[in-house]
């Protein structure tokens, strides 16, 4: 499998404030990369642009598979993302949330598979509880699963370790390691625990 993401001269300006200036980089599968920088330096903005959730002011992001450009639809199907501003459905249970996210990707889902995923983040016993009753770390674990159930080729993680304890961090380490064996994972972070998860791709200033 030959995946490639090319960032071509990306700039982003919000109301006259230049957040990203002329960023170019290329990522090829398999592997793990990090986007580093202090608070407010533009890490989340760049990750949203890579995900296609935000349009750059200048430049473009290309997704290539065996040298062919992906359509917007193929790109959406191939990406999984975890970010602080991506919400779960709080009145629905953990299992219902996973079913929803999997079906939204057109994936035929079996509850037995989803329960196995929940087991991996110690949420099996809470599968039928509404997300509204979860702690912040439990919500973060479930968010990780919603990005993984369709086995994305490209995994984008924005501060994936926020609110996680050591067991949660271990799940992330494992996930990054597995993803980096077959696909692409890009992690935006300034958490010292996550700095070594990949090769630095972009270092942003203050
Ligand atoms: N939708 C928006 N409208 C206006 N300004 C924005 C918007 N999104 C981000 N910004 C600004 O862009 C800059 C970078 O924000 P961003 O969230 O990308 O930083 P970050 O590196 O992820 O920070 P943190 O480490 O705190 O998560 C900030 O000055 C922020 O105020
Ligand atoms: Mg951020």
């Amino acid at each position: 499998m030959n995946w490639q993401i090319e960032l071509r001269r990306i700039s982003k300006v919000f109301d006259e404030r230049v957040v990203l200036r002329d960023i170019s980089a290329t990522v090829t599968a398999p592997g793990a990369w990090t986007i580093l920088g202090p608070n407010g330096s533009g890490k989340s903005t760049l990750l949203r642009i890579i995900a296609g959730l935000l349009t750059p002011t200048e430049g473009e992001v290309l997704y290539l598979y065996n040298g062919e450009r992906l359509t917007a639809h193929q790109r959406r199907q191939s990406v999984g993302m975890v970010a602080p501003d991506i919400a779960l459905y709080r009145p629905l249970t953990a299992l219902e949330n996973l079913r929803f996210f999997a079906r939204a990707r057109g994936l035929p889902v079996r509850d037995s598979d989803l329960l196995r995923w929940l087991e991996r983040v110690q949420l099996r016993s809470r599968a039928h509880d509404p997300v509204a009753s979860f702690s912040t770390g439990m919500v973060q674990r479930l968010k990780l699963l919603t990005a993984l159930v369709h086995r994305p080729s490209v995994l984008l993680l924005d501060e994936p370790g926020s609110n996680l304890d050591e067991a949660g961090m271990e799940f992330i380490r494992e996930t990054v390691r597995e993803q980096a064996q077959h696909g692409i994972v890009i992690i935006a972070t300034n958490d010292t625990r996550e700095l070594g998860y990949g090769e630095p791709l972009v270092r942003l200033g203050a």
Side-chain angles (χ1 to χ4, degrees):
M1 187 167 64
N2 178 6
W3 281 88
Q4 186 161 317
I5 302 175
E6 277 181 44
L7 312 186
R8 290 198 182 158
R9 309 206 61 175
I10 302 284
S11 296
K12 185 67 184 176
V13 182
F14 286 117
D15 317 311
E16 297 183 18
R17 182 188 292 119
V18 181
V19 174
L20 301 172
R21 195 189 298 273
D22 200 13
I23 292 173
S24 296
T26 300
V27 179
T28 29
W33 286 267
T34 50
I35 295 173
L36 307 171
N39 291 146
S41 58
K43 301 180 298 296
S44 298
T45 301
L46 182 57
L47 211 60
R48 277 185 211 124
I49 289 173
I50 296 172
L53 300 173
L54 195 63
T55 311
T57 309
E58 289 188 53
E60 60 178 346
V61 178
L62 295 186
Y63 277 63
L64 302 167
Y65 180 66
N66 289 337
E68 299 274 326
R69 263 184 96 150
L70 295 195
T71 63
H73 174 75
Q74 289 170 327
R75 180 167 151 170
R76 276 195 299 277
Q77 296 298 325
S78 61
V79 171
M81 186 172 187
V82 177
D85 59 344
I86 293 177
L88 299 176
Y89 290 84
R90 292 174 59 79
L92 299 187
T93 69
L95 185 60
E96 287 165 345
N97 267 275
L98 284 187
R99 276 193 207 127
F100 175 84
F101 277 86
R103 285 186 185 146
R105 308 287 192 164
L107 204 76
V109 279
R110 283 201 312 245
D111 280 359
S112 55
D113 291 334
L114 298 180
L115 290 169
R116 212 164 306 123
W117 277 106
L118 286 167
E119 181 85 50
R120 287 192 64 189
V121 295
Q122 290 87 40
L123 286 177
R124 173 66 185 82
S125 65
R126 305 294 295 265
H128 303 290
D129 292 349
V131 169
S133 71
F134 282 12
S135 75
T136 45
M138 288 162 65
V139 169
Q140 183 66 5
R141 286 165 187 238
L142 186 57
K143 271 193 191 186
L144 284 160
L145 296 190
T146 63
L148 291 172
V149 281
H150 65 296
R151 300 200 173 273
S153 301
V154 178
L155 182 62
L156 305 176
L157 303 176
D158 193 354
E159 306 200 23
S162 47
N163 301 307
L164 290 186
D165 58 17
E166 200 32 55
M169 291 303 291
E170 180 52 33
F171 176 69
I172 292 185
R173 273 193 293 274
E174 250 173 55
T175 301
V176 167
R177 206 162 38 225
E178 277 172 25
Q179 180 74 20
Q181 282 169 12
H182 69 271
I184 289 172
V185 51
I186 306 177
I187 306 134
T189 190
N190 55 18
D191 182 335
T192 50
R193 299 179 300 174
E194 298 172 353
L195 297 181
Y197 282 11
E199 247 178 83
L201 178 69
V202 181
R203 280 179 204 274
L204 299 168

